Amino acid sequence: MSNTSKIQARTNRYGYLFCAPFIIAFLIFSLWPIIYTFLLAFGDLKGLKTNFNLVGFANFIKLVHDKYFWGAVANTFILWGVNFAPQLGIALLFAILLTDVKLDIKGKGLFRALFYLPNLLTATSVAILFRSLFGYPVGPVNQFMLKYCGSSEAFNFFRSVAASRGIVSFIQWWMWCGQTLILLMAGITSISPSLYESATIDGASNWQCTWKITVPLLRPMMFYLLITSMVGGMQMFDIPFLLTGMHGEPDFKIRTTAIYMYNMAFQGRNDYSYAAAISIGMFIITIILAILINTLVKEHNPKSLKKGASK
């Protein structure tokens, strides 16, 4: 064996050695839990049992007819939709303003940092903060309403479905708007300046450049944000769980699919197999929606961009 081959073989061994910790950690903490979850979903493990028997599709048949599961799915999409629509709209508006060369806004880095700052906070601290702000009857918001808004009595926000959903959606929007802004700004800065220059020479206004060039070319990024936000929304757990007493009160209208899965697995019934079936149901719904969105969202022909900008 030549010296080059020996060096290459030694390098390969070091490569395998450095990759081994990740592979071992992935097999133990990711792949095996996924496989075990699928096994549990076809079993009957609950309570203090340590072994389970396979029961086929019984848990999935139960899941299809479970009105509480579908109620949790509806709650999840309501909270996600109310959060994502203003998140994308406001982030897009500020991304366009902060990247506009003509406006040349000062302190762009500071604005980006301020928008992104809530994303660095832990969900637990944020939930405790908002629980205190909207506390009943002596929370700061209630005190302000009583003193300056003419309210005759304190309002229990967490006993109102609309108010609770609004608070949860606002927190989700507030925490993730900064990340959406950063990604949209990155997408805008990657657009070739020559497109804007050509459109301006042809007499296009700032609004036309934005609507005919920026927005169409941002469609892949917005599609990415839609998919990732939907996946995150289906896994929404910490904020509604901590903010509404661990069961999605009031009237279980804040109970997301992730909270319902937790309730089934670790509170009351301890039905681990059914909770596993719920998690697989969440996964299937997410996959179906991702495929549906991918089918519905069509990319514009890049050749039409210059024609649209010159009109």
Side-chain angles (χ1 to χ4, degrees):
M1 182 181 292
S2 63
N3 290 334
T4 304
S5 300
K6 291 180 180 179
I7 294 173
Q8 185 65 40
R10 191 181 304 114
T11 303
N12 291 339
R13 285 198 297 271
Y14 284 127
Y16 296 140
L17 180 63
F18 286 126
C19 291
F22 168 78
I23 295 174
I24 295 172
F26 174 77
L27 293 175
I28 296 174
F29 298 107
S30 293
L31 183 60
W32 169 240
I34 292 173
I35 296 174
Y36 188 64
T37 299
F38 275 88
L39 292 175
L40 276 182
F42 292 95
D44 61 351
L45 183 63
K46 64 174 63 176
L48 299 177
K49 293 172 59 178
T50 56
N51 298 316
F52 62 90
N53 300 312
L54 295 178
V55 295
F57 291 91
N59 289 318
F60 293 97
I61 295 173
K62 178 182 176 181
L63 185 68
V64 171
H65 297 91
D66 188 352
K67 63 178 182 179
Y68 299 108
F69 169 73
W70 293 112
V73 171
N75 294 335
T76 303
F77 278 102
I78 290 172
L79 292 173
W80 171 69
V82 175
N83 148 47
F84 181 71
Q87 179 188 142
L88 181 62
I90 294 175
L92 179 61
L93 175 63
F94 277 95
I96 293 172
L97 292 176
L98 292 175
T99 54
D100 195 322
V101 179
K102 295 180 181 179
L103 289 178
D104 193 23
I105 297 176
K106 304 298 181 183
K108 295 179 183 179
L110 178 61
F111 279 112
R112 286 197 296 265
L114 291 175
F115 269 99
Y116 191 76
L117 187 61
N119 193 250
L120 302 178
L121 303 176
T122 61
T124 304
S125 59
V126 172
I128 293 174
L129 171 64
F130 277 82
R131 185 78 187 186
S132 301
L133 287 175
F134 292 92
Y136 176 85
V138 294
V141 175
N142 266 313
Q143 293 300 308
F144 178 84
M145 292 172 60
L146 291 170
K147 189 173 182 179
Y148 298 104
C149 299
S151 300
S152 58
E153 59 180 357
F155 179 71
N156 195 338
F157 289 91
F158 298 107
R159 291 299 176 190
S160 167
V161 173
S164 298
R165 282 177 170 173
I167 292 171
V168 172
S169 298
F170 173 79
I171 294 174
Q172 294 293 133
W173 167 84
W174 178 65
M175 291 185 66
W176 293 99
C177 188
Q179 179 172 332
T180 304
L181 172 68
I182 297 298
L183 291 174
L184 288 175
M185 289 182 66
I188 293 175
T189 54
S190 66
I191 299 174
S192 175
S194 62
L195 292 174
Y196 296 102
E197 294 171 0
S198 300
T200 303
I201 292 173
D202 290 341
S205 63
N206 284 345
W207 168 252
Q208 289 175 317
C209 289
T210 299
W211 189 249
K212 298 293 185 178
I213 298 176
T214 305
V215 174
L217 287 177
L218 277 181
R219 287 172 67 88
M221 179 61 73
M222 289 191 285
F223 170 66
Y224 167 79
L225 290 170
L226 176 61
I227 295 296
T228 55
S229 178
M230 184 195 66
V231 173
M234 286 298 295
Q235 301 174 14
M236 192 185 307
F237 175 78
D238 40 19
I239 294 297
F241 180 79
L242 296 169
L243 205 62
T244 59
M246 298 188 294
H247 292 88
E249 296 88 350
D251 198 24
F252 302 114
K253 295 298 184 181
I254 318 297
R255 182 166 64 181
T256 63
T257 48
I259 293 178
Y260 185 53
M261 178 185 66
Y262 182 88
N263 295 153
M264 289 293 102
F266 304 111
Q267 293 178 329
R269 298 174 58 186
N270 296 111
D271 195 340
Y272 305 112
S273 289
Y274 188 59
I278 293 173
S279 68
I280 294 175
M282 293 166 54
F283 172 74
I284 293 173
I285 292 173
T286 304
I287 292 296
I288 292 174
L289 289 175
I291 294 173
L292 180 63
I293 294 172
N294 190 31
T295 303
L296 294 177
V297 176
K298 301 295 184 180
E299 294 291 343
H300 281 288
N301 189 347
K303 295 180 180 179
S304 65
L305 294 177
K306 292 185 179 181
K307 294 180 181 179
S310 63
K311 291 182 180 179

